[in-house]
Amino acid sequence: MFTTRPTLQGTFGMVSSTHWLASQAAMAVLEDGGNAYDAAVAGAFVLHVVEPHLNGPAGEVPILLAPAGGEVRVLCGQGVAPGGATVAHYQGLGLELVPGTGPLAAAVPGAFDAWMLLLRDHGTKSLADVLEYAIGYAEHGHAPVENVGATVESVRELFETEWTSSAQVYLPGGKAPRPGELFRNPALAATWKRLLDEVAEAGDRDAQIDAAREVWRSGFIGEALVRQAQRPTMDTSGERHTGTLTAADLAGWSATYETPATYDWNGWTVCKAGPWSQGPVLLQQLALLPAELPRYGSAEYVHLLIEGCKLAMADREAWYGDAAEVPLGALLSDEYNEGRRELVGDKASYELRPGSPGGRAPRLCAHAGLHGDGPGFDALGVGEPTVAVRDVPGAGEPTVAKRPTAAVPGEPEVGADGRTRGDTCHLDVVDRWGNMVAATPSGGWLQSNPVVPELGFPLGTRLQMTWLEEGLPNSLTPGRRPRTTLTPSIALRDGVPVMAFGTPGGDQQDQWQLHFFLAVALRAQVRGGLDLQGAIDAPNWHNDSFPGSFYPRGMCPGSVTVEGRMGEAVVAELRRRGHDVTVGESWSEGRLCAVARDPETGILSAAANPRGMQGYAVGR
């Protein structure tokens, strides 16, 4: 079968990420004797520099790690809502939704501490060793991809009139970053160099890493983050607001290790972060599959996956979140899914249909209470209907092709009203010892908040994913994590870790990952077989039949967006079944990365997404 690139194979080490410089920096660490965790940290900090429109140090990251011979663990780098971030406070400001930009949307930054814990507990290299690559690119420059400049141009007016600290970094001399010219972020380089200077005398390797964590919490970095949060800032509400982040919030939080949520399917075990993320949506989609699947790639197959996704996403809206106990065991049980499976008919559903695990009645936010009998939607009498996502410029976080007319398909957009959306990154590594890591860094985008002048990077906006309505699993709640869309994966075969994978894409992540995983797992059913690269290259799709996770929380019941490479007969049959199909660009759905290890032979493999012309796998 033709693929855009070969699936790489070797025995020394493999890296796949959404930017070639991050992949190569991580590989350089492996070549220098580091392990997968050292490599992942180095690659992650390079991603902050080369994909600043997609992630930053003050964003967040869930990390799945599978140590050789050990158990899979989740390292949670999703920060919580600050102590002052209450529903009453935001409603008192006249807000019905958390703004999509600005300090009111900032959770406690989580990414930096998670990477530090990973390095300290599982790595072998020093902090200076892993920061070397990011400092070099920030100080001496790198040739930016086109979409960095395109994103900056889209927010030029905002930067020049309101977020002037961002203009200093991203519009030097009035010019946006452009391909073929070196772009530098000297403020970011200076931040990391000062950090290294301050921790140099702290003691051994572990002591220096812990000292760096303290500098982030309460030293010059923490102080600058809090000052920025307290500056009045123009946001998507059209008004200037100050945030709620305090020094106590920063000092009182750290990243944590957790047991993954898992589901066993046909000899595979898929591991995800818990229901503070959308990760279990992938598990629920697997649980909803019938024993016999339709032919891979057929209209019946695509229809089945779309309808199962709608049911899983409806449950996400009703049950997932850090502000309540989530009945995950019941949601993944055979009994529950047998009943849910019967809801999948021959026709497309336009309803948002959460289930009742254990007999519990589902509750949706008033903003999400929608249904419909055809294209469009009606209100259920529980509040104003959510806007249709296709009608909102820049709606949501990232999707590669919500509309084929998107100005910058696959990357952040900015509407006429200043609304922005960011995208996300992904990074997978496997080393010669069998250590494996999957991480999906995001947030802290250049278009999320003004650059902190002293630091060279902005705060994040993850609180926009919470609801300003009390009593919901994902209600804005001090000390609780906003439910994130970030959802890396590790898959085991017969109990042994064999594959790490993931993708940017907000609400689309676990839709694209399901198709990728099944393409790998069902390869015997596909003529010629599908390896990692073939599974990534296969035509993909997504649907928007549920409330989006990002401001302004739009949805479009019945909608399905497919790549232009999908067969005309498949598209026609989907439409006959009632799906509202949009045919997007031929290479527009998904930005998957993957690495794998065959435990019997020790052969490592890797592949990366060609869409967007940024992702690369390297290895030997």
Side-chain angles (χ1 to χ4, degrees), residues 576-588:
R576 190 193 69 79
R577 289 172 179 255
H579 297 281
D580 180 15
V581 180
T582 295
V583 178
E585 299 294 329
S586 293
W587 293 89
S588 55

Side-chain angles (χ1 to χ4, degrees), residues 49-341:
V49 179
V50 300
E51 294 192 321
H53 57 315
L54 310 180
N55 80 137
E60 43 276 324
V61 58
I63 304 169
L64 267 66
L65 57 147
E71 295 185 354
V72 177
R73 299 287 285 167
V74 176
L75 179 49
C76 173
Q78 174 58 65
V80 299
T86 65
V87 170
H89 174 66
Y90 286 63
Q91 289 180 340
L93 296 172
L95 298 171
E96 296 181 357
L97 293 172
V98 178
T101 60
L104 274 178
V108 177
F112 180 87
D113 198 60
W115 291 119
M116 291 301 98
L117 272 187
L118 184 69
L119 181 65
R120 186 196 70 184
D121 297 345
H122 298 277
T124 64
K125 293 290 188 177
S126 70
L127 182 57
D129 288 338
V130 297
L131 287 180
E132 170 189 354
Y133 307 90
I135 291 172
Y137 287 125
E139 184 173 21
H140 303 297
H142 71 284
V145 296
E146 182 177 357
N147 284 319
V148 175
T151 303
V152 174
E153 287 291 356
S154 67
V155 287
R156 174 185 284 272
E157 182 179 356
L158 179 67
F159 280 13
E160 291 178 337
T161 60
E162 295 282 347
W163 296 8
T164 55
S165 61
S166 297
Q168 292 174 8
V169 173
Y170 291 104
L171 288 167
K175 291 176 57 179
R178 62 186 63 186
E181 298 180 4
L182 289 178
F183 174 72
R184 299 173 175 87
N185 188 340
L188 179 58
T191 295
W192 298 144
K193 292 170 77 173
R194 179 178 173 183
L195 175 68
L196 291 175
D197 287 343
E198 290 198 7
V199 305
E201 304 301 322
D204 63 11
R205 170 187 173 278
D206 289 2
Q208 289 184 12
I209 295 170
D210 281 335
R213 298 172 69 203
E214 289 306 313
V215 172
W216 179 272
R217 289 192 183 101
S218 57
F220 79 94
I221 295 177
E223 292 170 354
L225 291 172
V226 172
R227 281 195 299 271
Q228 183 63 47
Q230 295 173 351
R231 291 186 177 112
T233 301
M234 178 66 69
D235 59 37
T236 51
S237 71
E239 299 181 3
R240 296 177 184 88
H241 292 112
T242 57
T244 60
L245 182 69
T246 67
D249 294 317
L250 269 178
W253 184 88
S254 66
T256 53
Y257 291 100
E258 300 177 0
T259 301
T262 63
Y263 187 76
D264 295 331
W265 184 83
N266 283 11
W268 294 80
T269 300
V270 180
C271 302
K272 303 290 285 186
W276 52 268
S277 76
Q278 75 169 356
V281 163
L282 178 56
L283 309 183
Q284 283 198 252
Q285 290 177 95
L286 289 172
L288 283 163
L289 294 176
E292 295 294 330
L293 291 176
R295 179 176 56 85
Y296 174 87
S298 66
E300 186 180 2
Y301 175 86
V302 176
H303 170 79
L304 177 70
L305 267 56
I306 291 169
E307 294 304 298
C309 174
K310 292 175 184 177
L311 294 174
M313 284 296 199
D315 278 344
R316 184 193 74 166
E317 289 308 306
W319 300 109
Y320 289 22
D322 198 34
E325 291 295 324
V326 180
L328 188 57
L331 290 169
L332 295 175
S333 68
D334 291 341
E335 179 182 9
Y336 179 74
N337 284 286
E338 285 173 4
R340 296 284 278 168
R341 201 174 295 126

